[in-house]
Each structure stands twice: as structure tokens, then as C-alpha cells.
Amino acid sequence: MKLSTKLPFLALLAILSFSCTTDSLEDEVQGEEFSLIILEDKSIEVEILDLINDHRLSKGLDPLLDMNIVKSVAYTHTDYMVDNNEVSHANFFKRSEYLKANAGASKVSENVAYGYSSAESVVNAWLKSEGHRATIEGDFTNFDISAEVNTEGKWYYTNIFIKK
């Protein structure tokens, strides 16, 4: 197959593989409910948070602190994506408003991804994308992540950033 034939397919795959958003987007779909869920960190989640903070430090930025309520909201969305077998920012406005009301956030953003099998691969993909990198390097104070695997063994990720 020629490169010109593959290019539209590769562009679509890249768009669907990872995405980011800020709190300016409206809800796309209804369906997520929030409550504080205390979850044990998975090693891949800890690695992702460490890699992001290492990157921030290398740029002279302050490291971000993790936060249980942010993790709980991220988990709710990751679970939603797994259940619906799609990577999306559906209901982002609701997540943002919930974190503003319950975590003292003044600003909220998120990066989502699908299919990456290691912390390094998902963080590298986000850093290669201008929009995702801007979120990672943004003016935030706290963050957390949820990484869940579906029945086919594919990983879904929701990384939420807030400024308090």
C-alpha cells in the first residue's frame, strides 16, 4: 500500500489513539456519576505520574501533587471508556464542574489515551503531541490518573490535571 493511501488511515488512528481537552468543551454524552472512590494505585499509574513530574522538573516546572478525588473522577471516566469501548472526552464538562465544586479546582484539563501498553509509551505519545504536552506542562497544581485494561487486554487512560 502506498504512503498516500496509508496517510488518511494513520491520521485517523492517531486522532483516535490519544486526545486532550480543557474545560471549554461541552458534554457530548450523559452517563457518568461521581462519588469518591479510594483506589489503590497500579504500578503503571505511578510510573506515568513519575514520568510526567520528571518531565515537568526537566523544564523547570513544579511537580504536581496527586489527589484522591482527581483519581476517583479519572477512574469513573476510564471505566466509562472501557464499558463503551471508545476513547473520548465524553462528559468532560461534568468532570470539570465536579472538580471545581468538590476539589477547589479553578482550572481542569485532561489527556486520554488508548492502546499503549507501558507508561513510557503513553507519556511519550502525549509529549509528542503539542496539545497534550501543553496540558502536561500547563499551570496546574494537582493531577492523577486512572489506567484500566479491557477484556481484550487493551489499556485505556484518563489523566486529569487541576489548578487549585
Side-chain angles (χ1 to χ4, degrees):
M1 190 182 279
K2 292 183 178 181
L3 180 59
S4 62
T5 308
K6 290 181 187 178
L7 196 54
F9 174 74
L10 292 173
L12 179 61
L13 182 62
I15 290 168
L16 295 175
S17 292
F18 53 92
S19 187
C20 69
T21 191
T22 63
D23 59 356
S24 63
L25 294 180
E26 295 297 320
D27 279 356
E28 300 164 8
V29 180
Q30 300 299 315
E32 291 180 34
E33 297 298 323
F34 307 111
S35 61
L36 183 59
I37 304 166
I38 305 298
L39 300 159
E40 191 167 324
D41 292 330
K42 295 176 185 72
S43 62
I44 194 169
E45 294 168 338
V46 173
E47 289 176 53
I48 291 168
L49 298 178
D50 287 345
L51 288 167
I52 288 172
N53 270 337
D54 289 348
H55 175 78
R56 288 180 61 85
L57 288 168
S58 77
K59 298 294 182 184
L61 302 169
D62 291 332
L64 303 176
L65 302 172
D66 60 346
M67 193 173 190
N68 284 335
I69 191 169
V70 175
K71 182 174 191 63
S72 180
V73 172
Y75 170 78
T76 301
H77 184 61
T78 305
D79 194 46
Y80 171 88
M81 291 191 300
V82 168
D83 287 348
N84 290 281
N85 200 30
E86 68 177 2
V87 64
S88 75
H89 291 289
N91 303 310
F92 176 75
F93 184 75
K94 285 173 68 174
R95 288 188 295 287
S96 176
E97 290 303 307
Y98 181 84
L99 290 168
K100 287 176 180 177
N102 295 284
S106 63
K107 181 169 106 172
V108 181
S109 189
E110 73 181 11
N111 287 342
V112 297
Y114 163 79
Y116 297 94
S117 59
S118 72
E120 295 82 10
S121 63
V122 72
V123 172
N124 285 338
W126 283 332
L127 291 175
K128 288 178 183 174
S129 162
E130 185 177 331
H132 298 94
R133 187 176 57 255
T135 297
I136 289 170
E137 296 174 358
D139 182 22
F140 297 103
T141 56
N142 301 83
F143 72 155
D144 223 314
I145 190 159
S146 171
E148 301 296 326
V149 66
N150 70 8
T151 56
E152 290 86 37
K154 299 291 184 184
W155 286 91
Y156 286 81
Y157 305 89
T158 304
N159 191 188
I160 298 179
F161 300 77
I162 71 168
K163 178 177 182 171
K164 289 185 74 163

